[in-house]
Amino acid sequence: MKHLVLLPALLAVLSAHAAVSVRDDDGKMVTLAKPAERVISMAPHVTELLFAAGAGSKIVGAVDYSDYPDAAKAIPRVGSNREVDLERVLALKPDLIVVWRHGSSERQVELLRKLGIPLFHSEPARLDRIPDNVVAMGKLAGTEQAAEAAAADLRKRLAAVRTKYAGRPPVRVFYQVWDKPLYTLNGAHIVSDALRLCGGENIFASQKVTAPVVSIEAVLKEDPEAVFSTAEKEQGGAAMWRQYPNLLATKNDNLFTIDGHLVNRAGPRMVQGAEMLCEKLDVARQHRKR
């Protein structure tokens, strides 16, 4: 009986020293001789994923704008996602660096790779990959139990949204990232996946560039039924389309502003962002009845 009581503790010790392997969003296997104890996060969404995985206390360095949860604000900075201080990185002695290739230049990623420190590439392209990332980071950090629980909750919420909005009439959407110049996102971006979850159709989904610049004329020609923007400005953001009264989104009062932290970061809070997008799309559908 005594041995049975000691078994869980023994397993925990063995697990803490066992090699771990996971596949990252580049499709590459990342193997550590033992779970990481000192992690550097190279993107704000990565920081949120690590905290969700129960590994927040293991983050020894992060980039600018890693501000959620509140505890992340106290983590030492190693630069931005585009320009990292390599000397500072080395001084922190990390055993794992989690990078974001879309936000980091190839040159920077290669410089980090040359340091000989294992790299995990995190860039979920679909909502379902967010809980997968949480689980992977939990494995790498030796916090699997917390990570599995968090991932299960995220999957449950996504399934609930998918069920709730299944079969709703489609709504053609213009997603505005910035207005000067006018940036949007293509269909391969995770925001488009969030829109598809509840019947939203990105009018620029076919663009080859992930974040293409488009013209006002192109938007007017596509005549979206709804416009989403994360810029809370009176003259910019979604409000800029009020000067085009013939635009369907303007006619139907479907110029929506949404919290950019919830949709522009592919972290756990994006599930909440997807829920908000779906609610706004339902508002747009209701406006058809006017």
Side-chain angles (χ1 to χ4, degrees):
M1 187 70 178
K2 181 178 179 181
H3 295 299
L4 291 175
V5 173
L6 293 174
L7 186 58
L10 178 61
L11 290 174
V13 171
L14 291 173
S15 176
H17 293 84
V20 289
S21 293
V22 299
R23 194 174 298 279
D24 70 7
D25 286 331
D26 253 350
K28 296 178 180 177
M29 290 300 297
V30 180
T31 301
L32 304 180
K34 62 178 182 177
E37 291 296 333
R38 299 181 65 79
V39 184
I40 287 181
S41 165
M42 290 299 298
H45 86 271
V46 168
T47 303
E48 296 190 27
L49 287 167
L50 286 165
F51 270 94
S57 63
K58 298 191 176 189
I59 307 174
V60 295
V63 292
D64 295 344
Y65 303 110
S66 291
D67 53 11
Y68 187 89
D70 282 341
K73 298 174 183 176
I75 298 171
R77 296 309 190 233
V78 295
S80 69
N81 56 15
R82 291 190 176 276
E83 194 64 44
V84 66
D85 185 332
L86 294 179
E87 290 186 6
R88 195 173 300 176
V89 169
L90 286 171
L92 290 169
K93 299 180 180 179
D95 43 22
L96 174 67
I97 300 176
V98 185
V99 299
W100 176 40
R101 191 179 297 280
H102 179 70
S104 308
S105 66
E106 285 293 329
R107 171 183 160 276
Q108 176 166 280
V109 173
E110 286 310 309
L111 286 173
L112 291 170
R113 200 180 302 280
K114 287 178 181 178
L115 296 178
I117 302 164
L119 302 184
F120 178 94
H121 172 219
S122 170
E123 190 163 353
R126 303 185 316 278
L127 290 170
D128 289 339
R129 285 294 296 161
I130 292 175
D132 292 346
N133 265 239
V134 171
V135 170
M137 292 185 195
K139 287 181 179 178
L140 290 172
T143 56
E144 274 188 86
Q145 190 172 354
E148 290 283 1
D153 179 64
L154 290 171
R155 291 186 180 115
K156 181 179 179 181
R157 288 175 60 187
L158 283 172
V161 175
R162 190 172 284 112
T163 299
K164 179 178 180 179
Y165 294 97
R168 300 286 172 98
V171 179
R172 297 179 71 254
V173 174
F174 173 55
Y175 187 85
Q176 181 172 314
V177 177
W178 196 250
D179 60 316
K180 292 181 181 179
L182 193 58
Y183 273 101
T184 187
L185 300 170
N186 72 0
H189 196 279
I190 193 170
V191 167
S192 289
D193 189 52
L195 289 168
R196 285 191 294 268
L197 181 68
C198 43
E201 295 181 352
N202 182 349
I203 62 171
F204 291 112
S206 63
Q207 293 286 314
K208 293 181 179 179
V209 178
T210 303
V213 175
V214 296
S215 67
I216 289 175
E217 290 73 22
V219 176
L220 294 175
K221 182 179 178 181
E222 290 293 336
D223 198 21
E225 186 176 359
V227 172
F228 284 97
S229 173
T230 58
E232 297 183 12
K233 298 187 295 182
E234 189 59 35
Q235 300 303 318
M240 66 175 278
W241 299 100
R242 290 185 185 135
Q243 62 187 302
Y244 303 100
N246 291 325
L247 185 73
L248 183 57
T250 306
K251 283 182 186 177
N252 289 3
D253 194 23
N254 295 331
L255 304 177
F256 303 120
T257 300
I258 193 165
D259 187 346
H261 292 111
L262 301 182
V263 287
N264 291 341
R265 296 182 183 183
R269 290 190 296 167
M270 193 167 186
V271 176
Q272 181 185 349
E275 292 168 342
M276 292 177 66
L277 285 171
C278 292
E279 290 170 5
K280 298 294 187 184
L281 287 177
D282 247 10
V283 170
R285 294 184 183 102
Q286 291 166 16
H287 287 173
R288 292 172 178 172
K289 300 174 184 178
R290 290 180 174 178

